[in-house]
Amino acid sequence: MLALGCDHGGYQLKEFLKKHLEKKGIEVKDFGTYSEDSVDYPVYAEKVAKAVQSGEAEGGILCCGTGIGISIAANKFDGIRCALVRDSFSARLTKEHNNANIIALGGRVTGTELAADIVDSWMNAEFQGGRHQGRIDIISSFEK
Ligand code: RB5
């Protein structure tokens, strides 16, 4: 299951990506927000980060206006590696090298078709382990 979350600035993109994933038969859980009324993006970052931290979700997708605030907030949670992505190459590499368990997108920055390709690239990639695991271990050591 993939956890989805957004603020008002990412609402339309989150809705688009939810349909995109559901069409592919991927199970999603939508943690809100559920309209374009103004809300605080850290609240939704926390919901998705905790779902990923606990193992309830295999990964997460977060959208705000730029993707920046919501990614900063998600990265405050231990074990979360949230990558703000703008292109499909980085989306693939952030799984292969960083094992990003959440990606963040900007609803006011990235168009829907590119966003869908970014999501697919991240989902279809596999973490390569090896030297990359050692680097992630160093990042994890900063959390203690
Ligand atoms: C909300 O207006 C906007 O600040 C938010 O969606 C996001 O872009 C923050 O980083």
Side-chain angles (χ1 to χ4, degrees):
M1 183 271 278
L2 282 180
L4 305 185
C6 68
D7 75 351
H8 51 288
Y11 172 74
Q12 292 292 348
L13 184 56
K14 182 263 289 176
E15 289 296 300
F16 177 86
L17 291 174
K18 183 165 65 174
K19 287 193 193 82
H20 172 74
L21 291 164
E22 285 172 344
K23 261 189 252 163
K24 288 172 159 295
I26 293 160
E27 190 190 350
V28 299
K29 184 166 172 182
D30 184 353
F31 286 85
T33 187
Y34 305 112
S35 78
E36 289 187 283
D37 294 345
S38 183
V39 292
D40 298 321
Y41 58 79
V43 171
Y44 300 91
E46 179 180 15
K47 290 175 193 291
V48 168
K50 285 187 169 169
V52 174
Q53 253 186 343
S54 70
E56 179 190 0
E58 292 152 45
I61 299 172
L62 287 169
C63 303
C64 68
T66 58
I68 297 171
I70 210 158
S71 61
I72 291 171
N75 278 314
K76 296 295 180 188
F77 292 84
D78 287 359
I80 297 302
R81 292 176 301 281
C82 177
L84 170 60
V85 278
R86 301 274 194 244
D87 65 275
S88 304
F89 175 77
S90 301
R92 175 168 65 82
L93 268 288
T94 202
K95 176 70 79 58
E96 291 182 354
H97 289 195
N98 318 122
N99 203 14
N101 45 19
I102 299 179
I103 56 169
L105 297 121
R108 295 172 182 157
V109 180
T110 302
T112 51
E113 294 303 324
L114 175 56
D117 195 63
I118 285 170
V119 165
D120 292 347
S121 299
W122 172 67
M123 282 194 318
N124 293 334
E126 283 191 22
F127 178 50
Q128 289 178 349
R131 69 188 187 283
H132 303 296
Q133 183 58 56
R135 292 161 186 163
I136 289 172
D137 292 343
I138 296 171
I139 296 171
S140 301
S141 77
F142 300 157
E143 293 172 351
K144 298 182 179 80

